[in-house]
Amino acid sequence: MSTLKNQLRLNPHDTPAKLEAARLLMEKQQFGEALSYLEGISSLMQDSPEYLSDKGICLLKVNRVEEGLLLIEQALKANPRVKYGEPYLRVAEAHAKHNQSEKALASLEELAKINMSSCEVYYKLGELYTELVQKEKAKQAYLEAVEVYRGLPSYKRRMERRWAFLAWLKK
């Protein structure tokens, strides 16, 4: 099976194509390869919040946590709503993975203020509340995930179905 990198023959000066290739690789969970594309365009895109966010997420996924958190922090300072708040979710996952539940919870609560239409946010918030033994808050977060799902348009429901179902099971 050949990788996307081997399939693409990109012009070395085509920044938008490299950025799109990196995002496609990120969707396929190939963060190391995506990072190589992002590093290739760093001199041109270093001030873009979207670029900083993407690179930070890739760094988190390849276990370069400190570097990734710094880049995501820069992206969020430049634009707190970058990528509809997805960087907050990835920061929360990184903190939860390293047993920093309070920091993870703070990131998810900040994201809940920004992105009110994500079942994934409320589900993960419920998971953290469960981990912190705050059962009532966890139950409320799961119920909120199900309620958000009910109000979503059909095109968005497909992406959020998994999280709503998991929340429904836990409520």
Side-chain angles (χ1 to χ4, degrees), residues 105 108-109 112 115-116 118-131 134-149 160 163-171:
L105 191 58
L108 285 174
E109 287 176 345
N115 189 352
M116 302 301 283
S118 175
C119 298
E120 182 179 6
V121 171
Y122 288 111
Y123 175 78
K124 291 196 174 183
L125 194 58
E127 290 288 289
L128 280 173
Y129 280 134
T130 301
E131 188 178 307
Q134 296 180 8
K135 292 182 180 184
E136 195 56 41
K137 285 185 177 182
K139 184 178 178 181
Q140 187 61 37
Y142 293 136
L143 287 171
E144 190 67 33
V146 173
E147 287 302 314
V148 164
Y149 180 77
E160 297 287 333
W163 304 109
F165 181 69
L166 290 171
W168 180 77
L169 290 174
K170 295 219 176 183
K171 70 176 178 138

Side-chain angles (χ1 to χ4, degrees), residues 59-78:
L59 288 169
L60 288 176
K61 297 294 185 174
V62 296
N63 290 324
R64 291 168 54 186
V65 177
E66 293 302 319
E67 295 173 72
L69 290 174
L70 285 173
L71 286 177
I72 290 174
E73 185 179 317
Q74 287 177 0
L76 293 172
K77 279 183 183 174

Side-chain angles (χ1 to χ4, degrees), residues 35-48:
L35 188 57
S36 68
Y37 279 110
L38 292 170
E39 287 173 344
I41 59 174
S42 65
S43 61
L44 299 170
M45 303 285 293
Q46 64 190 357
D47 294 330
S48 167

